[in-house]
Amino acid sequence: MAKIHICFVWHMHQPFYKDLISGEYHLPWTRMHALKDYYGMVKILEEFPNVHQTFNLVPSMMVQIQEYADGTAADPFLRVALKPAEELTDDDKRFLLRYFFQAHPARMIRRYPATASSSIPGKAPARTSTAPASSSTRKPCATSRCSPNSPGSTKSSSATTPR
């Protein structure tokens, strides 16, 4: 049988979320992906020593990760998450409730066995079907940064969502 050589190249990027005037990051995505995704993608390769991959790390992403690692980065999400509950102001609580529970239950929470039967207030129970929810049952996206085809988005788009 003929051999085939495949090159895996992962382009790891994040926009530069830092406001250069205030010095604060407006969105937490670089920090969150650094904590849950980037390391894991490399770590899993230990299980497959014959698979070789290339990771292209974009400088704007690396600057942000370095600032978080150095403890010099600040973002409103991290600030509220690190604040002791008894010190949360009413504004902190509103921020927390608005932005900290945006995970799509069926796709991001219940997909894991330990949380498959979890009950999340205000959310519909997990569907047994793997088919995407129809657009008529989707809830409005909680932020203005949702793409037209984001889970929960009610914005229309001429692009089709992969099924």
Side-chain angles (χ1 to χ4, degrees), residues 100-133:
F100 278 42
F101 299 96
Q102 294 180 343
H104 187 278
R107 293 187 182 111
M108 297 176 75
I109 297 171
R110 293 189 191 104
R111 66 185 276 203
Y112 299 102
T115 59
S117 63
S118 67
S119 174
I120 299 172
K123 302 289 184 181
R127 293 177 300 135
T128 54
S129 167
T130 57

Side-chain angles (χ1 to χ4, degrees), residues 4 14 18-19 22 45 47 52 54 69 73 78 84 110 113 127-128 133-134 140 153 161:
I4 184 168
Q14 284 292 327
K18 186 176 187 176
D19 180 321
S22 71
L45 290 177
E47 297 176 32
H52 303 282
T54 298
L78 182 60
R110 293 189 191 104
R127 293 177 300 135
T128 54
S134 70
S153 176
T161 302

